Amino acid sequence: MAVGLKVEVHQNRFLGAGDRQMQAIVTVSAHGEPEPAGSTSAGMGAAEVLLVDCSSSMRYPPTKIGAARKAAAAAVSVLPDGTRFAVVRGTGRAELVYPDGPWLATASPETRSAATAAVGRLAAVGGTAMGAWLTLARELFALAPEAVRHAILLTDGRNESQSREELQRVLDACEGEFVCDARGIGDGWEPAELTEIVTVLRGGVDSVVRDEDLAGDFRALVDAALTKVVAEVRLRIGTMAYSRLRSVKQVRPHDYDLTSRCVPGEEGELVLSLGSWGAAETREYQLAVDLDQDLVPSYDRDRQLAWVEVDGAGNPPVPVLGRWTHDPVPPTLIHPKVLQYTVQDGLGQALTEGGDAYAAGDHAGARAAWGRAIRIATETGNEEILKRLRRIVEVVDAGTGDVLLRPDVTRSELLNLLISRVTHLGGETPKAAPQPDGEPLECPACGERTPRPAAFCEACREPLAEGDPA
């Protein structure tokens, strides 16, 4: 099956005289009919590797390692026949639990049964070296280069058995080789660490508060991974002689900065791997482009500031445009999509600030920050964030952000809230002012045309009939 990929750019292209930065939201979407689970557009199948933390801390409480066994078994149970897979026991090293050799098994009733029996014997003892687990996953996936490759990493702790630099080297080697989703369980894992892993490996991150919910979560992750039909999608970002990329962030479905993951292309553009892709999937990215300070503004026409395209999609590049105007109104209008993610960023900052204050013992600061988060989440209809916040605070008045801290908050609940900074920041699109679309207005005095909405003519400064004279 051929999957079509397209790119759209959403922006307010109007700039004030001194403006030297352009923001835009880039939407990348796929369209095509999905094939049976476990297959790809090339008919070469899917590959799944489960990385299960079996360090000593997984013994306490005993329900934790039991939940991990059940989750791994649940994930194996939904693998369609023909899917290639493996289960790795993660401690201070990586041990292949199933199959019994350095290869990937092929899912069938017999192999699923054997793998389930193997994960039922998982024991918790040893340290935590996530880089070793990911390295083994990369070696296994190298045996199925044509497949859509996906891993799940479960941990309850920190990467204490190797240095941060060593983990970063492993991540750099794994980037583009497979997608990895990460899950934290218990109260000893580090949100920043898991966020770094999924940022480089283009997956998602979350946590499970109740051990008994882990199996269902694993099952859902595998089901979602099996809908992917393109092993890797790459976005090309080009700039002009007078512009340069300041930043690029994924803002939906997950929120993380990908600027440092861009690599130079053959023709001077930047190339960004977006990971594997489903047949009917949409993601959005926020670009910020800086312009040279000595660039002469263009008032009479649109100027191309940058461009984006999906590598190999066969569609022409989509421009990021800019046009300067003397009218003070158009540059102040924010495109609804840009506004949506500006608000989203404010919500994320409030969640983080509340967590930092709470950790420092500043309960008044935590109340203020999480109260602000309650207000933003209520205004944007973000029910997932509200659900997690309500475990931490009692809401007195959502409209004003008046909250009280709950006295019985567990660290697991707190981590579950903080990791939502990356994973669950969606919501309704905020209301925005009308955008400057439509045909330009013609000045009745001099005949020059000025972009909408305009209060006066840019050429002769006469008031325009459809504008709002200052």
Side-chain angles (χ1 to χ4, degrees):
M1 174 198 65
V3 175
L5 291 157
K6 71 174 182 177
V7 175
E8 298 173 279
V9 171
H10 312 277
Q11 62 171 133
N12 173 11
R13 67 186 186 279
F14 292 96
L15 298 162
D19 292 344
R20 289 296 183 273
Q21 186 183 108
M22 175 57 71
Q23 298 261 351
I25 299 298
V26 176
T27 300
V28 181
S29 56
H31 52 89
E33 292 298 324
E35 292 186 351
S39 64
T40 71
S41 58
M44 301 305 290
E48 186 77 31
V49 174
L50 307 178
L51 308 172
V52 184
D53 187 343
C54 292
S55 59
S56 297
S57 57
M58 286 290 288
R59 293 202 300 260
Y60 309 104
T63 54
K64 197 188 298 181
I65 188 62
R69 295 186 193 112
K70 290 178 182 178
V76 168
S77 72
V78 296
L79 294 173
D81 286 355
T83 303
R84 303 180 71 181
F85 75 101
V87 182
V88 173
R89 177 176 178 266
T91 58
R93 59 192 182 94
E95 175 189 353
L96 192 57
V97 171
Y98 189 85
D100 58 2
W103 54 76
L104 292 165
T106 301
S108 67
E110 294 75 22
T111 59
R112 284 192 294 269
S113 176
T116 299
V119 300
R121 296 189 292 270
L122 287 174
V125 57
T128 305
M130 298 179 203
W133 315 349
L134 294 167
T135 295
L136 179 54
R138 179 169 61 86
E139 293 169 353
L140 292 168
F141 283 130
L143 303 175
E146 75 291 340
V148 174
R149 304 172 297 276
H150 176 256
I152 301 175
L153 186 153
L154 171 70
T155 185
D156 77 329
R158 296 176 174 85
N159 195 52
E160 296 174 340
S161 299
Q162 60 184 175
S163 68
R164 187 178 186 278
E165 292 73 21
E166 187 176 356
L167 176 60
Q168 188 59 59
R169 286 194 295 271
V170 169
L171 290 174
D172 290 342
C174 292
E175 185 174 15
E177 299 298 319
F178 61 95
V179 170
C180 181
D181 289 319
R183 287 295 182 267
I185 187 173
D187 58 10
W189 55 278
E190 175 55 55
E193 199 165 65
L194 294 192
T195 298
E196 178 64 17
I197 289 172
V198 301
T199 297
V200 177
L201 302 183
R202 310 297 192 269
V205 61
D206 208 340
S207 75
V208 175
V209 175
R210 302 190 310 167
D211 293 349
E212 57 267 32
D213 292 336
L214 188 61
D217 186 69
F218 263 44
R219 189 180 294 111
L221 284 174
V222 172
D223 283 340
L226 292 171
T227 67
K228 308 301 182 186
V229 294
V230 181
E232 185 186 28
V233 172
R234 300 196 301 170
L235 183 70
R236 292 185 179 271
I237 305 170
T239 54
M240 316 306 289
Y242 45 78
S243 64
R244 59 197 173 278
L245 181 69
R246 170 189 284 262
S247 64
V248 55
K249 294 173 54 180
Q250 179 174 301
V251 289
R252 184 166 73 96
H254 308 295
D255 187 332
Y256 39 61
D257 194 320
L258 295 171
T259 309
S260 65
R261 311 318 302 179
C262 294
V263 298
E266 295 179 357
E267 300 181 9
E269 77 277 17
L270 295 171
V271 180
L272 177 63
S273 173
L274 307 183
S276 56
W277 214 271
E281 184 172 0
T282 297
R283 302 179 202 172
E284 294 191 312
Y285 303 84
Q286 186 170 16
L287 298 185
V289 177
D290 285 339
L291 309 175
D292 290 349
Q293 289 299 318
D294 58 357
L295 177 63
V296 178
S298 170
Y299 288 96
D300 59 345
R301 60 184 175 83
D302 290 338
R303 173 173 281 173
Q304 182 167 315
L305 308 179
W307 55 266
V308 291
E309 68 174 339
V310 172
D311 191 22
N315 300 319
V318 180
V320 177
L321 301 173
R323 179 189 289 194
W324 282 261
T325 175
H326 292 295
D327 192 311
V329 176
T332 66
L333 302 179
I334 302 177
H335 192 282
K337 279 191 176 292
V338 176
L339 177 61
Q340 176 182 1
Y341 296 118
T342 300
V343 173
Q344 173 176 298
D345 193 53
L347 175 56
Q349 290 177 7
L351 294 173
T352 300
E353 289 172 12
D356 291 344
Y358 191 86
D362 178 9
H363 287 190
R367 281 183 57 194
W370 284 335
R372 190 165 78 252
I374 282 283
R375 178 175 55 78
I376 297 172
T378 300
E379 290 172 352
T380 57
N382 196 318
E383 292 299 327
E384 180 62 33
I385 293 290
L386 287 172
K387 180 181 75 174
R388 298 187 186 211
L389 275 166
R390 289 182 185 123
R391 296 188 185 125
I392 307 297
V393 301
E394 178 184 345
V395 180
V396 178
D397 188 330
T400 63
D402 186 9
V403 301
L404 299 174
L405 298 182
R406 295 189 181 277
D408 54 349
V409 174
T410 67
R411 178 169 167 77
S412 181
E413 290 171 330
L414 182 61
L415 290 172
N416 185 247
L417 172 65
L418 297 181
I419 202 63
S420 65
R421 167 71 176 87
V422 178
T423 305
H424 293 285
L425 286 178
E428 297 299 322
T429 303
K431 295 180 181 179
Q435 293 303 297
D437 294 327
E439 290 296 318
L441 299 173
E442 183 173 332
C443 176
C446 70
E448 289 294 326
R449 293 161 67 82
T450 299
R452 296 173 182 265
F456 53 84
C457 174
E458 290 186 349
C460 68
R461 316 299 284 177
E462 284 294 313
L464 295 172
E466 294 190 36
D468 295 316

